[in-house]
Amino acid sequence: MNAGAVTDRRIICAELSKDKIKEVTSQAREAAKAEGKGLLGQLGAQMRAPSGYHTRYLEMMPEAALTEMPGNFAIDRADIRKIKF
């Protein structure tokens, strides 16, 4: 799974490993439990956690995002000539 962010100079692509997904899911469950949510509330938090993980890259400094995981990389926006979907 990948996440990313767009800055004024580049597009940052970040790897989301299985271990990171497990960590994020566990943190979401513990946070829901601390808020007093029941089993269904905790399960819902776990299910939503990975899909919202990309938002943290919007608040992170670009260099920190690039060094977070070995597979993270950036593409300079000036180097992009054509995008095809």
Side-chain angles (χ1 to χ4, degrees):
M1 184 181 274
N2 294 321
V6 178
T7 70
D8 59 339
R9 291 188 12 236
R10 55 192 168 180
I11 297 171
I12 298 172
C13 300
E15 177 185 9
L16 186 53
S17 68
K18 288 182 182 182
D19 290 337
K20 186 57 86 170
I21 291 172
K22 286 180 185 178
E23 179 185 330
V24 168
T25 302
S26 177
Q27 289 173 350
R29 183 185 63 246
E30 292 302 319
K33 188 185 286 187
E35 293 172 6
K37 293 187 179 178
L39 182 61
L40 290 178
Q42 293 173 35
L43 183 60
Q46 283 180 244
M47 293 173 67
R48 287 188 303 273
S51 65
Y53 189 75
H54 69 281
T55 58
R56 74 187 293 268
Y57 291 106
L58 301 174
E59 300 167 359
M60 188 183 281
M61 294 297 294
E63 295 307 319
L66 287 170
T67 58
E68 183 182 46
M69 296 286 287
N72 294 1
F73 64 95
I75 301 169
D76 286 331
R77 288 176 58 183
D79 292 341
I80 298 172
R81 298 288 177 236
K82 184 177 182 180
I83 297 175
K84 184 176 181 180
F85 289 97

